[in-house]
Amino acid sequence: MTVAGSTLLKIGSRSISFESTTLFRILLSYMTSPVLLAGFVVYALAAFLWVYCLSQFELSYVTFVTSAQYILLILVSIQIFKEQISPMQWAGSLFIMIGVIFWMKG
């Protein structure tokens, strides 16, 4: 869910001007952007889901499992935002996933 929330916030942030404007106008832009509001709602739902998961599983387990979101974020970054991911970034992601697998097997 946080991947969806981040994606919506990224898309919504494109419609907001942060240059030469007042804080009030920025906040008003936040409140009137449907995509930004959807992103905030998805993040809020993710927070409730996080609390539920914490009540059911060990913190260390939940935290490591959610590390898989890094890979999903990279895929979204490539597919939706056409971002370039360097070989070093791919290597770092691979190490994260190997660590998650080791953690879950251990």
Side-chain angles (χ1 to χ4, degrees):
M1 289 187 86
T2 57
V3 173
S6 293
T7 303
L8 290 168
L9 292 178
K10 173 74 174 171
I11 292 169
S13 71
R14 294 176 172 175
S15 67
I16 301 208
S17 172
F18 293 96
E19 297 176 11
S20 67
T21 188
T22 65
L23 179 61
F24 176 75
R25 284 193 172 176
I26 292 172
L27 293 175
L28 186 61
S29 296
Y30 278 21
M31 292 184 292
T32 57
S33 169
V35 178
L36 273 179
L37 290 175
F40 288 130
V41 167
V42 170
Y43 259 114
L45 293 173
F48 285 111
L49 182 59
W50 177 256
V51 171
Y52 172 77
C53 289
L54 290 175
S55 72
Q56 300 298 311
F57 305 101
E58 295 179 358
L59 174 62
S60 57
Y61 176 79
V62 175
T63 302
F64 272 90
V65 169
T66 59
S67 297
Q69 74 181 336
Y70 297 126
I71 302 304
L72 294 173
L73 279 171
I74 288 173
L75 296 175
V76 166
S77 297
I78 292 168
Q79 291 296 316
I80 295 177
F81 301 115
K82 308 301 182 206
E83 294 179 8
Q84 298 295 315
I85 307 300
S86 73
M88 286 295 262
Q89 290 170 317
W90 279 114
S93 298
L94 180 63
F95 283 127
I96 290 170
M97 291 315 300
I98 289 170
V100 169
I101 292 167
F102 282 167
W103 181 263
M104 293 179 74
K105 295 286 183 180

